[in-house]
Amino acid sequence: MATLDKLQAKFPGAFTTSSFRDNVRVLVNAAKAPTVLFLLLKFLKEECGFDMLTELGGIDYLNYPNATDRYCVVYGLTNTATGERLWVKAFANDPDPELPSVVELWNGANWMEREVYDMYGVRFTGHPDLRRILLPAEFTAFPLRKDYPLRGYGERHNFPIVTRAES
Amino acid sequence: MPLQSASPVLDDDIAGADQEFLYTLNFGPQHPATHTTLRLILTLDGETIVKAVPDIGFLHSGFEKLGEDLDFNQYVTIVDRMNYISPVANEIAWHHTVEKLLGIEITPRCKYIRTILAELARISDHLLCIGAAALDLGALTAFLYAFNTREKVYNIIEATSGQRFHPSYTRVGGLMADISDEVIELIRDFVATFPKAHSDICRLLNRNRIFIDRTKGIGVLSKEDAINWSCSGPVARASGVVRDLRKDEPYLAYGELQSAFKVVCGKGGDCYNRYLVRMGEMLESWKIIAAAIENLPAGPVNVDLDDKLTIPDKQATYRSIEGLIQHFELFMWNRRWETPIEEVYGANETANGELGFYVVADGSGKAFRARTRPPSFIHFALFPLLMEGHQISDVPAVLGSLNIIAAELDR
Amino acid sequence: MALTNLLPDFMVTKLDALASLLRKHSLWPMPFATACCGIELMATASSRYDIARFGAEAMRFSPRQCDVMIVAGRVVMKMVPVMQRIWLQMPEPKWCISMGACASSGGVFDTYAVVQGIDRFIPVDVYVPGCPPRPEQLIRAVLDLQEKVQKTGTIDAREFADRTTYEGPTPLARELAPEQAIVAPGDYRTATRLRPLPLA
């Protein structure tokens, strides 16, 4: 794939690649991600024509077979001129998972990064407005982490009750 | 009409409360124009919107967490409830991804049936979107006409699966059941009557002065912005982004039906263009259905039983030992499918845009992670951009044209 | 009520029946539609099912004008305070229909965010099963509610006077320690504010 060769020449040794079905992936590990990731995505956008960020989502690889890093953020890039797709996976680790924000490159990343922060607690440095988006601002946990139970810790029951007499 | 910022404050520092003449209006979460649950905090200068801040999450129900708890067949009941005005399309997208993960090639008949249902779902989605948008702009009749046609789609879905709203009709490697002749008749009937219903709505709205005044030039989205903000589906196509997964990455039977349909695009990128694109897409969907129902291949709907991937039918389960064993294998919580330890992204062009699933499998029959790429979520992020400088009465027009579905927005 | 004391009994019964008759045939629903059931609610109101046949077509989105709140769809953490506030804004006499499995019990969504039945937090009169219920079922629920209005009568508020205690299921144990509990979004008085509360 021409893009990968170009990328290899520009960032030698910064990433590994893998593929499955029609997904071609570029993997940036937790040690390199804070420095390399933004430049790599910028290069992909400006030099390789990947002008659309189709997808940005988080994954928590706790207890996943053969996983080395815990958190992962997946960037799905699309070249709207050719329809080519490329997946970039960047990893981060506890205790303070942090990745550079790509809102500068794609405005569409704004809410998707907020969602990843909301669900996994991965902080994006340089994000203009990193707040919780789906859960109430006072919520304390990050529910999509693997160590958070499906039914929660009972937050859903902590509300005042309105009875007929009160209303 | 180019967008002019109507307020000089727009370019200054909007410290909001410091500027006495600006005031804040809370819009939602329960408001007729929001249809479902979303909240907007609008900073207003008179009636002009200086700044709009959406607040979402009022329907966040943990879909993706459930996706990690349920297996591939069970989770279909949950994705149903994601974009609840075209549920079948979600199921097809979900199982499209799972089948991509497992490497299953479904049978031709199954492909055609799924294509027909996906297009019916697109029609019913667009009908509701247009009907509700027109309702918010004061045209009740279009809403009633749209629902009349939607009821026909419901009838088809009900005859197909037994449930009129959330059919949960697809399974890994096939379908819950084959369609009957009665369904085919219903679909043929729908194909025969749909153009009339479509032109009724067209005649009500296309040249309706009030409707045009309230939608033309409102919420203009440029092509560059559409790409930069990750838009897809009718919203992107109305801005001139020529991208349709049915053409670009053909799946199901779209590869064979390429000649039956065209991609509908607009240039203006305003609410009226989005409306026209949706109306045009319905006619294209109608053509696809008409072509697919007449070319419906014969044969089984499930992949071969020997692959150990599909649920055997009742006959096989009760009358043969192999069927019984396979049934058990797929339903026991510690067996189910053997998946590769891999991850895959699969996307379908649904009515709202590109609905994708990113499935991470860890070898068991459940997804380790079932991430959804929700088009509504991505389109709603545009809202502040589209709204700035407009009047408060334009809020329903823009909301209606983006077709925000709360369950897909918040998941 | 004073009326009961002044008039002979049979008159009161008749008057009550008359009031109930009028009231039950002009229920104004407040469509608190959050999810899928909201679409079926729209289908019920539109041409094929036409809820106007039963006098309940005047959907008003302003709670101050409504008699019956139809909670259609699941209610999640962030929405509970909003729902409670809308319920409190409705004038007496008022009723509540919990439409669909999600509103009645949480349905398939047994997750951290979804409330397991709205009856834990507000009083409910009629439950409608189904996911989502067909329009016919919703119409049946409206008829049941009409029957309830007729039977109980409301002119002297007898029905409501009896119901002072909590009517829902046994409250689930609060699994969080008080200091860990998320307080602020849970309170309908403060849930829609824009700035954080000053710390107590």
Side-chain angles (χ1 to χ4, degrees):
Chain A
M1 206 172 146
T3 314
L4 286 184
D5 297 339
K6 250 168 120 177
L7 211 58
Q8 195 72 53
K10 176 82 179 174
F11 301 97
F15 61 88
T16 51
T17 58
S18 70
S19 71
F20 181 70
R21 309 281 181 233
D22 62 354
N23 295 4
V24 178
R25 293 186 290 248
V26 170
L27 289 82
V28 185
N29 67 20
K32 298 230 176 66
T35 50
V36 175
L37 180 71
F38 186 80
L39 297 173
L40 190 137
L41 289 170
K42 196 173 180 185
F43 179 78
L44 282 172
K45 186 193 172 188
E46 286 167 4
E47 310 289 326
C48 306
F50 286 98
D51 50 356
M52 188 194 262
L53 179 79
T54 320
E55 148 84 327
L56 193 158
I59 301 169
D60 178 2
Y61 280 115
L62 186 71
N63 302 329
Y64 189 73
N66 310 326
T68 47
D69 298 314
R70 178 161 178 195
Y71 303 106
C72 168
V73 176
V74 187
Y75 300 83
L77 310 181
T78 309
N79 184 336
T80 45
T82 60
E84 187 186 352
R85 284 179 191 266
L86 184 73
W87 296 88
V88 177
K89 288 177 70 181
F91 293 87
N93 271 321
D94 275 336
D96 193 16
E98 241 181 31
L99 284 172
S101 164
V102 295
V103 180
E104 264 177 59
L105 302 177
W106 295 283
N107 284 319
N110 189 331
W111 278 26
M112 294 195 263
E113 283 183 355
R114 277 177 70 186
E115 194 196 341
V116 173
Y117 167 67
D118 196 356
M119 294 294 151
Y120 292 95
V122 178
R123 300 194 68 85
F124 291 90
T125 47
H127 191 286
D129 183 23
L130 197 64
R131 289 178 293 132
R132 281 191 177 270
I133 185 165
L134 294 177
L135 290 161
E138 291 83 355
F139 202 75
T140 45
F142 298 109
L144 278 186
R145 286 189 178 180
K146 282 284 171 185
D147 47 11
Y148 186 81
L150 172 68
R151 290 176 182 80
Y153 291 119
E155 292 94 337
R156 60 185 180 183
H157 306 313
N158 281 297
F159 294 97
I161 294 167
V162 176
T163 63
R164 184 72 75 170
E166 287 168 39
S167 54
Chain B
M1 194 175 82
L3 247 185
Q4 294 275 319
S5 88
S7 161
V9 195
L10 192 60
D11 304 315
D12 297 343
D13 174 33
I14 307 174
D18 301 346
Q19 313 219 9
E20 271 180 25
F21 54 92
L22 292 184
Y23 68 100
T24 308
L25 180 75
N26 183 49
F27 190 99
Q30 175 65 27
H31 187 278
T34 63
H35 290 298
T36 38
T37 50
L38 38 96
R39 180 184 178 208
L40 306 167
I41 297 153
L42 306 170
T43 309
L44 299 173
D45 173 7
E47 273 200 54
T48 309
I49 294 168
V50 180
K51 195 181 167 198
V53 180
D55 180 13
I56 62 170
F58 290 93
L59 199 55
H60 173 70
S61 359
F63 279 75
E64 292 175 7
K65 193 82 179 172
L66 269 174
E68 297 166 11
D69 190 59
L70 302 176
D71 78 24
F72 297 138
N73 271 343
Q74 291 169 335
Y75 189 49
V76 80
T77 58
I78 308 291
V79 291
D80 250 354
R81 286 149 180 83
M82 210 174 268
N83 180 348
Y84 43 70
I85 63 178
S86 54
V88 196
N90 304 338
E91 299 167 8
I92 293 168
W94 165 249
H95 274 144
H96 169 76
T97 312
V98 171
E99 281 151 12
K100 196 169 167 184
L101 175 81
L102 294 169
I104 304 173
E105 176 72 24
I106 52 174
T107 61
R109 186 174 173 86
C110 178
K111 278 183 185 171
Y112 270 75
I113 294 173
R114 284 191 188 183
T115 309
I116 292 168
L117 288 175
E119 293 307 319
L120 283 173
R122 189 185 317 278
I123 288 178
S124 78
D125 190 306
H126 286 343
L127 277 174
L128 185 82
C129 170
I130 286 165
L135 177 68
D136 290 344
L137 299 178
L140 179 67
T141 321
F143 171 77
L144 294 176
Y145 277 26
F147 251 94
N148 226 1
T149 315
R150 270 177 69 83
E151 289 290 346
K152 284 186 185 157
V153 179
Y154 279 151
N155 278 355
I156 295 171
I157 305 268
E158 187 174 12
T160 312
S161 69
Q163 231 277 28
R164 79 185 216 122
F165 205 90
H166 291 310
S168 302
Y169 184 55
T170 59
R171 296 285 182 273
V172 176
L175 299 168
M176 183 195 88
D178 199 351
I179 57 173
S180 61
D181 293 343
E182 184 204 356
V183 176
I184 294 174
E185 277 314 305
L186 277 174
I187 295 172
R188 286 208 174 112
D189 181 50
F190 179 81
V191 168
T193 55
F194 179 70
K196 170 104 180 22
H198 182 267
S199 74
D200 279 348
I201 299 175
C202 278
R203 276 186 292 162
L204 274 174
L205 294 177
N206 274 13
R207 292 168 59 204
N208 183 328
R209 188 59 193 272
I210 302 169
F211 186 74
I212 291 175
D213 279 355
R214 294 202 59 182
T215 52
K216 214 161 199 169
I218 304 296
V220 180
L221 176 70
S222 69
K223 186 178 174 184
E224 291 71 36
D225 276 340
I227 291 175
N228 200 357
W229 286 85
S230 313
C231 296
S232 57
V235 175
R237 286 197 283 276
S239 300
V241 182
V242 188
R243 187 167 161 72
D244 188 323
L245 293 185
R246 292 175 293 170
K247 287 275 188 196
D248 296 340
E249 300 170 7
Y251 53 93
L252 295 180
Y254 292 112
E256 295 158 37
L257 296 169
Q258 284 290 311
S259 55
F261 72 106
K262 298 191 182 80
V263 177
V264 184
C265 287
K267 270 185 185 165
D270 57 358
C271 294
Y272 188 61
N273 263 276
R274 290 194 272 275
Y275 158 75
L276 287 181
V277 167
R278 289 209 164 89
M279 288 309 271
E281 277 194 5
M282 281 200 278
L283 271 191
E284 297 302 318
S285 299
W286 168 71
K287 287 179 198 162
I288 297 175
I289 298 170
I293 194 71
E294 298 311 328
N295 294 317
L296 192 66
V301 291
N302 286 339
V303 295
D304 200 358
L305 211 60
D306 298 336
D307 294 347
K308 312 277 181 213
L309 293 164
T310 48
I311 303 166
D313 60 10
K314 288 278 177 282
Q315 194 68 22
T317 309
Y318 293 130
R319 298 294 165 89
S320 76
I321 188 69
E322 292 81 12
L324 187 66
I325 290 172
Q326 189 182 335
H327 187 92
F328 257 63
E329 289 277 336
L330 285 183
F331 281 83
M332 275 179 349
W333 63 270
N334 54 352
R335 295 295 183 88
R336 295 177 181 152
W337 296 268
E338 273 182 29
T339 48
I341 302 181
E342 264 295 354
E343 47 205 81
V344 76
Y345 175 82
N348 273 10
E349 185 76 30
T350 59
N352 251 348
E354 179 182 336
L355 177 71
F357 287 97
Y358 194 93
V359 179
V360 181
D362 59 351
S364 72
K366 294 194 281 192
F368 186 77
R369 169 83 169 102
R371 152 84 185 161
T372 317
R373 182 212 187 265
S376 286
F377 182 78
I378 287 156
H379 293 159
F380 195 46
L382 282 171
F383 188 76
L385 177 80
L386 297 184
M387 221 47 248
E388 271 172 20
H390 282 307
Q391 304 274 305
I392 194 167
S393 60
D394 299 332
V395 171
V398 172
L399 275 179
S401 77
L402 288 179
N403 193 17
I404 306 298
I405 307 300
E408 191 182 72
L409 176 74
D410 300 335
R411 300 180 310 293
Chain C
M1 283 288 289
L3 211 56
T4 325
N5 302 337
L6 290 177
L7 298 170
D9 274 348
F10 70 92
M11 273 299 290
V12 175
T13 324
K14 289 294 180 194
L15 190 59
D16 204 26
L18 181 67
S20 301
L21 183 76
L22 300 178
R23 193 165 266 147
K24 80 175 188 183
H25 288 299
S26 62
L27 291 171
W28 283 23
M30 152 83 215
F32 189 85
T34 57
C36 336
C37 294
I39 306 295
E40 283 297 63
L41 186 56
M42 282 158 89
T44 318
S46 61
S47 26
R48 184 183 289 187
Y49 296 98
D50 196 10
I51 204 173
R53 293 178 294 162
F54 307 96
E57 86 283 13
M59 304 265 179
R60 289 294 178 271
F61 286 86
S62 161
R64 308 263 185 219
Q65 303 175 332
C66 297
D67 305 313
V68 48
M69 177 158 92
I70 302 180
V71 181
R74 56 193 171 276
V75 176
V76 307
M77 276 195 297
K78 219 172 170 178
M79 203 64 184
V80 176
V82 179
M83 177 183 70
Q84 288 181 329
R85 192 154 163 192
I86 288 178
W87 174 252
L88 290 177
Q89 282 174 349
M90 287 168 58
E92 290 280 6
K94 59 188 172 187
W95 298 272
C96 178
I97 294 179
S98 159
M99 177 181 178
C102 298
S104 307
S105 70
V108 290
F109 294 99
D110 190 4
T111 61
Y112 56 89
V114 182
V115 166
Q116 301 298 298
I118 57 164
D119 50 0
R120 295 182 191 282
F121 303 112
I122 59 166
V124 174
D125 291 285
V126 183
Y127 300 85
V128 191
C131 189
R134 291 183 62 96
E136 291 94 331
Q137 268 171 289
L138 183 63
I139 291 173
R140 180 71 247 175
V142 171
L143 292 176
D144 286 348
L145 188 63
Q146 289 182 350
E147 198 179 318
K148 183 169 183 173
V149 173
Q150 181 73 61
K151 259 191 195 157
T152 50
T154 47
I155 207 160
D156 58 355
R158 263 180 288 126
E159 204 243 326
F160 300 111
D162 294 344
R163 297 164 67 175
T164 51
T165 48
Y166 170 73
E167 297 161 19
T170 323
L172 292 172
R174 302 204 168 193
E175 294 149 23
L176 287 193
E179 66 275 10
Q180 282 180 313
I182 43 166
V183 234
D187 198 329
Y188 54 83
R189 290 173 214 95
T190 56
T192 46
R193 81 209 179 282
L194 295 178
R195 294 185 183 77
L197 283 179
L199 289 174

